[in-house]
Amino acid sequence: MGSNKILVIDDSRVIRARVKEMLPPGNFVVLEAKDGVEGLKLISQESLSLIMLDFLLPKLSGWEVFQQIQQNNHWQKIPLVLMSGRKEEVLEKIQEPFEYFEFISKPFEQRELVAAIKSAMQKAKLPRREVISNPTAIQVPLENANLNEVQLLTEKVTKMQTEINQLKKQMAQLITWLHHRAS
């Protein structure tokens, strides 16, 4: 039986070593990448069981690596744990709730890491939604629609998605504010 491969992409040798130490003993090999370019190279070359990705990386940022993963149907099935010491920088680019990957704040304890990995493995199994989540909103069959209608619908969907993302961000800020008020 072949080993499972876990890729840890982080510019800190200390973090890479710490993740390696914290992983429960098992039949796997830990691969390491010190920047986004090296990380993407290993993602494309290896058959991975898990990716641990730092958000702030040299050469190619974790955000750029994340986008590449999301655009590749095969890679997006690999469980992903995004790591960062600054969650607010992640939230600027990606809105909560994190549906298809897990996030862990640095520094973290072993139990947090193991829980994040388990969660990422569950989330990676979720079926991906299509870009248009409400097919009944499009009344015209696309093969019969003219280009202008399709373009207008695409613009409407894009505008609605922007509004939804803004509302999610506002809701996250409100929850954070309420949480701070309560404590």
Side-chain angles (χ1 to χ4, degrees), residues 109-150:
E109 299 297 322
Q110 183 178 23
R111 62 182 166 69
E112 294 169 314
L113 177 65
V114 171
I117 291 170
K118 285 180 182 172
S119 175
M121 290 183 161
Q122 290 301 313
K123 289 179 177 187
K125 293 176 187 170
L126 294 174
R128 296 287 177 133
R129 266 189 263 131
E130 295 300 316
V131 175
I132 300 166
S133 58
N134 186 2
T136 57
I138 297 177
Q139 312 256 315
V140 183
L142 290 181
E143 59 272 7
N144 298 335
N146 68 36
L147 209 52
N148 287 343
E149 290 172 318
V150 172

Side-chain angles (χ1 to χ4, degrees), residues 32-49:
E32 297 180 32
K34 63 183 177 305
D35 60 57
V37 172
E38 205 175 280
L40 269 182
K41 185 177 171 189
L42 285 168
I43 292 169
S44 66
Q45 291 174 346
E46 300 288 342
S47 178
L48 300 170
S49 302

Side-chain angles (χ1 to χ4, degrees), residues 119-182:
S119 175
M121 290 183 161
Q122 290 301 313
K123 289 179 177 187
K125 293 176 187 170
L126 294 174
R128 296 287 177 133
R129 266 189 263 131
E130 295 300 316
V131 175
I132 300 166
S133 58
N134 186 2
T136 57
I138 297 177
Q139 312 256 315
V140 183
L142 290 181
E143 59 272 7
N144 298 335
N146 68 36
L147 209 52
N148 287 343
E149 290 172 318
V150 172
Q151 191 174 358
L152 285 171
L153 289 170
T154 304
E155 288 170 7
K156 280 184 180 179
V157 168
T158 303
K159 185 179 177 191
M160 289 170 67
Q161 190 61 53
T162 302
E163 291 171 0
I164 289 168
N165 288 342
Q166 288 172 336
L167 288 170
K168 283 181 179 178
K169 189 173 184 178
Q170 289 171 350
M171 185 63 85
Q173 290 169 341
L174 181 61
I175 289 169
T176 302
W177 181 79
L178 288 171
H179 181 69
H180 288 298
R181 297 268 311 189

Side-chain angles (χ1 to χ4, degrees), residues 67-77:
Q67 288 178 303
Q68 297 267 344
I69 290 169
Q70 297 310 310
Q71 291 167 9
N72 182 308
N73 289 334
H74 179 69
W75 296 353
Q76 64 182 215
K77 293 179 180 125

